Amino acid sequence: MSFDAQGDAGSKPKSVSRAKQWNDEVENLYRFQQAGYRDELEYKQVKQVDLVDRWPETGFVKKLQRRDNTFYYYNRKRECEDKEVNKVKMYAY
């Protein structure tokens, strides 16, 4: 699922499910949701940005700005532990 192909700027998710196992997409969703956003699409809409800072080695999100304008900085490696995977919401557009 590509975040760039998820519809227009005002799109709302049609459904939501919980992640069952870890993968790169779940890792990035975990990071967005920790910062208070549904996903990359919502982050780009709210913050009016075109690109998200990512680690070149892994493609994981590197830095996000929360709604209160403080920043979250993330490591290159996995941060979403197995016990946290089922808390990640996956939205379908």
Side-chain angles (χ1 to χ4, degrees), residues 3-4 9 32 37 39-54 61 63-66 69 71:
F3 290 111
D4 297 332
F32 282 108
Y37 301 95
D39 52 26
E40 184 173 351
L41 182 66
E42 183 182 44
Y43 180 78
K44 288 178 175 181
Q45 289 173 356
V46 171
K47 289 300 174 186
Q48 301 291 303
V49 296
D50 293 326
L51 296 173
V52 176
D53 288 335
R54 294 182 181 273
V61 172
K63 176 182 75 171
L64 293 174
Q65 187 174 10
R66 294 182 356 173
N69 293 324
F71 286 90

mmCIF file of all heavy atoms in Angstrom, residues 3-4 9 32 37 39-54 61 63-66 69 71:
data_model
loop_
_atom_site.group_PDB
_atom_site.id
_atom_site.type_symbol
_atom_site.label_atom_id
_atom_site.label_comp_id
_atom_site.label_asym_id
_atom_site.label_seq_id
_atom_site.Cartn_x
_atom_site.Cartn_y
_atom_site.Cartn_z
ATOM 1 N N PHE A 3 1.393 5.252 0.312
ATOM 2 C CA PHE A 3 0.742 6.403 0.918
ATOM 3 C C PHE A 3 0.446 7.483 -0.119
ATOM 4 O O PHE A 3 -0.465 8.251 0.036
ATOM 5 C CB PHE A 3 1.622 6.996 2.020
ATOM 6 C CG PHE A 3 1.703 6.108 3.219
ATOM 7 C CD1 PHE A 3 2.881 5.472 3.536
ATOM 8 C CD2 PHE A 3 0.606 5.885 4.020
ATOM 9 C CE1 PHE A 3 2.962 4.654 4.637
ATOM 10 C CE2 PHE A 3 0.676 5.073 5.122
ATOM 11 C CZ PHE A 3 1.856 4.454 5.433
ATOM 12 N N ASP A 4 1.226 7.540 -1.191
ATOM 13 C CA ASP A 4 1.040 8.563 -2.202
ATOM 14 C C ASP A 4 -0.215 8.329 -3.038
ATOM 15 O O ASP A 4 -0.722 9.249 -3.648
ATOM 16 C CB ASP A 4 2.259 8.612 -3.129
ATOM 17 C CG ASP A 4 3.511 9.000 -2.381
ATOM 18 O OD1 ASP A 4 3.415 9.706 -1.361
ATOM 19 O OD2 ASP A 4 4.592 8.594 -2.814
ATOM 20 N N ALA A 9 -6.775 15.021 -0.964
ATOM 21 C CA ALA A 9 -6.346 15.594 0.311
ATOM 22 C C ALA A 9 -7.397 15.482 1.409
ATOM 23 O O ALA A 9 -7.067 15.452 2.582
ATOM 24 C CB ALA A 9 -5.952 17.052 0.111
ATOM 25 N N PHE A 32 4.233 7.337 13.195
ATOM 26 C CA PHE A 32 3.256 8.409 12.965
ATOM 27 C C PHE A 32 2.234 8.452 14.088
ATOM 28 O O PHE A 32 1.878 9.527 14.574
ATOM 29 C CB PHE A 32 2.543 8.222 11.620
ATOM 30 C CG PHE A 32 3.372 8.650 10.442
ATOM 31 C CD1 PHE A 32 3.909 7.710 9.584
ATOM 32 C CD2 PHE A 32 3.629 9.989 10.208
ATOM 33 C CE1 PHE A 32 4.690 8.089 8.503
ATOM 34 C CE2 PHE A 32 4.402 10.385 9.126
ATOM 35 C CZ PHE A 32 4.935 9.426 8.271
ATOM 36 N N TYR A 37 -0.585 11.206 14.777
ATOM 37 C CA TYR A 37 -1.197 11.228 13.459
ATOM 38 C C TYR A 37 -1.670 9.829 13.084
ATOM 39 O O TYR A 37 -1.119 8.834 13.534
ATOM 40 C CB TYR A 37 -0.197 11.723 12.404
ATOM 41 C CG TYR A 37 0.300 13.106 12.717
ATOM 42 C CD1 TYR A 37 1.481 13.291 13.416
ATOM 43 C CD2 TYR A 37 -0.432 14.226 12.347
ATOM 44 C CE1 TYR A 37 1.926 14.560 13.735
ATOM 45 C CE2 TYR A 37 0.009 15.501 12.666
ATOM 46 C CZ TYR A 37 1.187 15.664 13.353
ATOM 47 O OH TYR A 37 1.614 16.909 13.675
ATOM 48 N N ASP A 39 -1.571 8.515 9.969
ATOM 49 C CA ASP A 39 -0.627 7.934 9.017
ATOM 50 C C ASP A 39 0.125 9.055 8.302
ATOM 51 O O ASP A 39 -0.023 10.231 8.650
ATOM 52 C CB ASP A 39 -1.344 7.028 8.015
ATOM 53 C CG ASP A 39 -2.529 7.703 7.339
ATOM 54 O OD1 ASP A 39 -2.544 8.945 7.235
ATOM 55 O OD2 ASP A 39 -3.452 6.984 6.929
ATOM 56 N N GLU A 40 0.904 8.694 7.305
ATOM 57 C CA GLU A 40 1.699 9.678 6.576
ATOM 58 C C GLU A 40 0.825 10.688 5.846
ATOM 59 O O GLU A 40 1.154 11.876 5.791
ATOM 60 C CB GLU A 40 2.619 8.965 5.566
ATOM 61 C CG GLU A 40 3.553 9.892 4.837
ATOM 62 C CD GLU A 40 4.559 9.169 3.976
ATOM 63 O OE1 GLU A 40 4.659 7.932 4.050
ATOM 64 O OE2 GLU A 40 5.273 9.850 3.220
ATOM 65 N N LEU A 41 -0.287 10.247 5.308
ATOM 66 C CA LEU A 41 -1.193 11.140 4.599
ATOM 67 C C LEU A 41 -1.698 12.259 5.507
ATOM 68 O O LEU A 41 -1.655 13.441 5.150
ATOM 69 C CB LEU A 41 -2.372 10.344 4.029
ATOM 70 C CG LEU A 41 -3.385 11.115 3.209
ATOM 71 C CD1 LEU A 41 -2.751 11.640 1.928
ATOM 72 C CD2 LEU A 41 -4.571 10.230 2.874
ATOM 73 N N GLU A 42 -2.153 11.901 6.698
ATOM 74 C CA GLU A 42 -2.645 12.915 7.635
ATOM 75 C C GLU A 42 -1.516 13.845 8.068
ATOM 76 O O GLU A 42 -1.701 15.055 8.185
ATOM 77 C CB GLU A 42 -3.289 12.270 8.861
ATOM 78 C CG GLU A 42 -3.872 13.312 9.799
ATOM 79 C CD GLU A 42 -4.478 12.744 11.058
ATOM 80 O OE1 GLU A 42 -3.861 11.853 11.677
ATOM 81 O OE2 GLU A 42 -5.562 13.215 11.427
ATOM 82 N N TYR A 43 -0.326 13.303 8.314
ATOM 83 C CA TYR A 43 0.816 14.132 8.710
ATOM 84 C C TYR A 43 1.104 15.188 7.644
ATOM 85 O O TYR A 43 1.280 16.365 7.949
ATOM 86 C CB TYR A 43 2.048 13.256 8.936
ATOM 87 C CG TYR A 43 3.274 14.038 9.341
ATOM 88 C CD1 TYR A 43 3.429 14.498 10.642
ATOM 89 C CD2 TYR A 43 4.289 14.327 8.429
ATOM 90 C CE1 TYR A 43 4.550 15.224 11.034
ATOM 91 C CE2 TYR A 43 5.403 15.046 8.797
ATOM 92 C CZ TYR A 43 5.533 15.491 10.101
ATOM 93 O OH TYR A 43 6.629 16.209 10.471
ATOM 94 N N LYS A 44 1.135 14.754 6.382
ATOM 95 C CA LYS A 44 1.421 15.692 5.291
ATOM 96 C C LYS A 44 0.333 16.759 5.166
ATOM 97 O O LYS A 44 0.633 17.913 4.875
ATOM 98 C CB LYS A 44 1.574 14.932 3.971
ATOM 99 C CG LYS A 44 2.863 14.142 3.885
ATOM 100 C CD LYS A 44 2.942 13.379 2.573
ATOM 101 C CE LYS A 44 4.267 12.691 2.411
ATOM 102 N NZ LYS A 44 4.346 11.963 1.130
ATOM 103 N N GLN A 45 -0.913 16.386 5.391
ATOM 104 C CA GLN A 45 -2.010 17.358 5.321
ATOM 105 C C GLN A 45 -1.918 18.382 6.440
ATOM 106 O O GLN A 45 -2.022 19.581 6.212
ATOM 107 C CB GLN A 45 -3.358 16.643 5.413
ATOM 108 C CG GLN A 45 -3.723 15.842 4.195
ATOM 109 C CD GLN A 45 -4.984 15.005 4.407
ATOM 110 O OE1 GLN A 45 -5.544 14.972 5.502
ATOM 111 N NE2 GLN A 45 -5.411 14.321 3.370
ATOM 112 N N VAL A 46 -1.714 17.905 7.660
ATOM 113 C CA VAL A 46 -1.699 18.799 8.822
ATOM 114 C C VAL A 46 -0.471 19.706 8.809
ATOM 115 O O VAL A 46 -0.575 20.910 9.048
ATOM 116 C CB VAL A 46 -1.764 17.979 10.134
ATOM 117 C CG1 VAL A 46 -1.530 18.863 11.348
ATOM 118 C CG2 VAL A 46 -3.094 17.257 10.246
ATOM 119 N N LYS A 47 0.685 19.145 8.510
ATOM 120 C CA LYS A 47 1.938 19.914 8.564
ATOM 121 C C LYS A 47 2.278 20.609 7.255
ATOM 122 O O LYS A 47 3.259 21.352 7.188
ATOM 123 C CB LYS A 47 3.099 19.009 8.996
ATOM 124 C CG LYS A 47 3.002 18.612 10.461
ATOM 125 C CD LYS A 47 3.036 19.842 11.333
ATOM 126 C CE LYS A 47 2.807 19.556 12.780
ATOM 127 N NZ LYS A 47 2.706 20.781 13.569
ATOM 128 N N GLN A 48 1.468 20.374 6.215
ATOM 129 C CA GLN A 48 1.692 21.018 4.918
ATOM 130 C C GLN A 48 3.116 20.773 4.403
ATOM 131 O O GLN A 48 3.817 21.713 4.024
ATOM 132 C CB GLN A 48 1.415 22.528 5.011
ATOM 133 C CG GLN A 48 0.000 22.870 5.440
ATOM 134 C CD GLN A 48 -1.028 22.517 4.390
ATOM 135 O OE1 GLN A 48 -0.936 22.984 3.272
ATOM 136 N NE2 GLN A 48 -1.997 21.693 4.746
ATOM 137 N N VAL A 49 3.534 19.515 4.427
ATOM 138 C CA VAL A 49 4.854 19.139 3.921
ATOM 139 C C VAL A 49 4.684 18.135 2.791
ATOM 140 O O VAL A 49 3.674 17.432 2.707
ATOM 141 C CB VAL A 49 5.753 18.548 5.028
ATOM 142 C CG1 VAL A 49 6.055 19.573 6.095
ATOM 143 C CG2 VAL A 49 5.133 17.305 5.632
ATOM 144 N N ASP A 50 5.684 18.068 1.917
ATOM 145 C CA ASP A 50 5.663 17.107 0.818
ATOM 146 C C ASP A 50 6.472 15.861 1.135
ATOM 147 O O ASP A 50 6.169 14.781 0.643
ATOM 148 C CB ASP A 50 6.219 17.744 -0.460
ATOM 149 C CG ASP A 50 5.301 18.842 -0.985
ATOM 150 O OD1 ASP A 50 4.070 18.716 -0.831
ATOM 151 O OD2 ASP A 50 5.821 19.826 -1.536
ATOM 152 N N LEU A 51 7.516 16.033 1.941
ATOM 153 C CA LEU A 51 8.408 14.920 2.261
ATOM 154 C C LEU A 51 8.530 14.749 3.770
ATOM 155 O O LEU A 51 8.476 15.715 4.520
ATOM 156 C CB LEU A 51 9.804 15.155 1.682
ATOM 157 C CG LEU A 51 9.907 15.212 0.164
ATOM 158 C CD1 LEU A 51 11.309 15.616 -0.256
ATOM 159 C CD2 LEU A 51 9.547 13.867 -0.444
ATOM 160 N N VAL A 52 8.736 13.514 4.171
ATOM 161 C CA VAL A 52 8.961 13.171 5.573
ATOM 162 C C VAL A 52 10.421 12.754 5.704
ATOM 163 O O VAL A 52 10.931 12.020 4.854
ATOM 164 C CB VAL A 52 8.026 12.010 5.996
ATOM 165 C CG1 VAL A 52 8.310 11.583 7.412
ATOM 166 C CG2 VAL A 52 6.574 12.419 5.847
ATOM 167 N N ASP A 53 11.108 13.238 6.748
ATOM 168 C CA ASP A 53 12.506 12.848 6.962
ATOM 169 C C ASP A 53 12.586 11.353 7.240
ATOM 170 O O ASP A 53 11.925 10.859 8.144
ATOM 171 C CB ASP A 53 13.108 13.599 8.154
ATOM 172 C CG ASP A 53 13.350 15.062 7.847
ATOM 173 O OD1 ASP A 53 13.505 15.397 6.660
ATOM 174 O OD2 ASP A 53 13.386 15.862 8.793
ATOM 175 N N ARG A 54 13.417 10.657 6.454
ATOM 176 C CA ARG A 54 13.567 9.208 6.595
ATOM 177 C C ARG A 54 15.036 8.835 6.657
ATOM 178 O O ARG A 54 15.888 9.529 6.121
ATOM 179 C CB ARG A 54 12.923 8.485 5.413
ATOM 180 C CG ARG A 54 11.423 8.659 5.358
ATOM 181 C CD ARG A 54 10.834 7.883 4.188
ATOM 182 N NE ARG A 54 9.404 8.063 4.111
ATOM 183 C CZ ARG A 54 8.519 7.329 4.757
ATOM 184 N NH1 ARG A 54 8.918 6.352 5.522
ATOM 185 N NH2 ARG A 54 7.225 7.565 4.642
ATOM 186 N N VAL A 61 10.879 6.323 9.210
ATOM 187 C CA VAL A 61 10.727 7.742 9.538
ATOM 188 C C VAL A 61 11.813 8.139 10.540
ATOM 189 O O VAL A 61 12.063 7.430 11.512
ATOM 190 C CB VAL A 61 9.324 8.016 10.126
ATOM 191 C CG1 VAL A 61 9.218 9.431 10.640
ATOM 192 C CG2 VAL A 61 8.254 7.732 9.083
ATOM 193 N N LYS A 63 12.224 11.727 11.683
ATOM 194 C CA LYS A 63 11.818 12.841 12.546
ATOM 195 C C LYS A 63 10.400 13.251 12.187
ATOM 196 O O LYS A 63 10.057 13.365 11.019
ATOM 197 C CB LYS A 63 12.775 14.019 12.323
ATOM 198 C CG LYS A 63 12.416 15.277 13.080
ATOM 199 C CD LYS A 63 13.377 16.402 12.778
ATOM 200 C CE LYS A 63 13.108 16.971 11.407
ATOM 201 N NZ LYS A 63 13.861 18.188 11.118
ATOM 202 N N LEU A 64 9.588 13.482 13.221
ATOM 203 C CA LEU A 64 8.225 13.975 13.021
ATOM 204 C C LEU A 64 7.954 15.134 13.961
ATOM 205 O O LEU A 64 8.441 15.136 15.097
ATOM 206 C CB LEU A 64 7.199 12.869 13.291
ATOM 207 C CG LEU A 64 7.177 11.700 12.323
ATOM 208 C CD1 LEU A 64 6.219 10.628 12.825
ATOM 209 C CD2 LEU A 64 6.781 12.154 10.931
ATOM 210 N N GLN A 65 7.178 16.080 13.494
ATOM 211 C CA GLN A 65 6.775 17.208 14.329
ATOM 212 C C GLN A 65 5.360 16.947 14.824
ATOM 213 O O GLN A 65 4.440 16.744 14.045
ATOM 214 C CB GLN A 65 6.820 18.506 13.527
ATOM 215 C CG GLN A 65 6.587 19.726 14.367
ATOM 216 C CD GLN A 65 6.775 21.005 13.559
ATOM 217 O OE1 GLN A 65 6.906 20.976 12.346
ATOM 218 N NE2 GLN A 65 6.782 22.127 14.244
ATOM 219 N N ARG A 66 5.207 16.939 16.147
ATOM 220 C CA ARG A 66 3.886 16.720 16.729
ATOM 221 C C ARG A 66 3.004 17.944 16.511
ATOM 222 O O ARG A 66 3.461 18.987 16.077
ATOM 223 C CB ARG A 66 4.012 16.439 18.232
ATOM 224 C CG ARG A 66 4.710 15.149 18.531
ATOM 225 C CD ARG A 66 4.815 14.818 19.992
ATOM 226 N NE ARG A 66 4.300 15.839 20.896
ATOM 227 C CZ ARG A 66 4.182 15.678 22.197
ATOM 228 N NH1 ARG A 66 4.532 14.551 22.756
ATOM 229 N NH2 ARG A 66 3.724 16.636 22.967
ATOM 230 N N ASN A 69 4.056 21.133 18.061
ATOM 231 C CA ASN A 69 5.305 21.626 17.472
ATOM 232 C C ASN A 69 6.577 21.135 18.147
ATOM 233 O O ASN A 69 7.650 21.650 17.870
ATOM 234 C CB ASN A 69 5.311 23.155 17.350
ATOM 235 C CG ASN A 69 4.294 23.618 16.340
ATOM 236 O OD1 ASN A 69 4.064 22.962 15.325
ATOM 237 N ND2 ASN A 69 3.645 24.731 16.617
ATOM 238 N N PHE A 71 9.267 17.916 18.585
ATOM 239 C CA PHE A 71 9.722 16.915 17.619
ATOM 240 C C PHE A 71 9.946 15.568 18.273
ATOM 241 O O PHE A 71 10.361 15.486 19.430
ATOM 242 C CB PHE A 71 11.030 17.372 16.959
ATOM 243 C CG PHE A 71 10.834 18.476 15.967
ATOM 244 C CD1 PHE A 71 10.905 19.796 16.364
ATOM 245 C CD2 PHE A 71 10.569 18.191 14.639
ATOM 246 C CE1 PHE A 71 10.722 20.821 15.455
ATOM 247 C CE2 PHE A 71 10.376 19.209 13.715
ATOM 248 C CZ PHE A 71 10.455 20.525 14.130
#
